[in-house]
Amino acid sequence: MANTVFCKKFKKDMEALDRAPLPGAKGQEILQNVSKQAWQEWQQLQTMMINEKQLNLMQPESRKYVMEQMDKFFNNEATDKLAGYVDPDDIKEL
């Protein structure tokens, strides 16, 4: 059976990541507190943010912004909305 972790995003035991996704203490914190599913969802949102906002991750302020948004995402706080993106849950059938 796969390793599990109590995911702070979903507030339940879920499949854990195989290894730390980032170096250092931040990576270990994510490994111990974030599920594989939550990490995958974050990766999708992060990609959209980088593309939509045309972030250059070589710039420290862009990396800082992404890390702040990541913390908000995993803590179930509101992240910045992306222009033109419509959450499928917000679409109502006519």
Side-chain angles (χ1 to χ4, degrees):
M1 182 171 165
N3 290 334
T4 61
V5 64
F6 185 81
C7 180
K8 68 182 192 175
K9 171 76 175 161
F10 294 110
K11 307 287 189 228
K12 62 181 182 178
D13 287 326
M14 298 179 74
E15 184 178 354
L17 291 164
D18 297 327
R19 64 179 187 274
L22 300 172
K26 190 65 168 179
Q28 289 302 309
E29 176 189 339
I30 292 169
L31 181 64
Q32 295 169 2
N33 298 296
V34 174
S35 67
K36 185 179 279 191
Q37 179 182 340
W39 181 255
Q40 289 170 342
E41 289 181 16
W42 163 246
Q43 291 290 282
Q44 291 173 346
L45 179 60
Q46 174 184 255
T47 299
M48 288 189 293
M49 284 182 170
I50 291 168
N51 291 335
E52 177 76 25
K53 298 186 177 291
Q54 299 179 1
L55 299 175
N56 177 354
L57 296 180
M58 297 294 287
Q59 297 175 338
E61 56 273 3
S62 291
R63 289 192 307 271
K64 181 181 179 212
Y65 170 79
V66 169
M67 295 303 281
E68 288 169 353
Q69 294 301 306
M70 180 181 71
D71 287 338
K72 287 181 179 182
F73 178 80
F74 290 135
N75 289 314
N76 292 309
E77 299 171 10
T79 58
D80 285 352
K81 294 291 182 188
L82 302 175
Y85 175 73
V86 178
D87 189 322
D89 293 336
D90 293 339
I91 298 174
K92 306 236 189 286
E93 290 188 40
L94 299 175

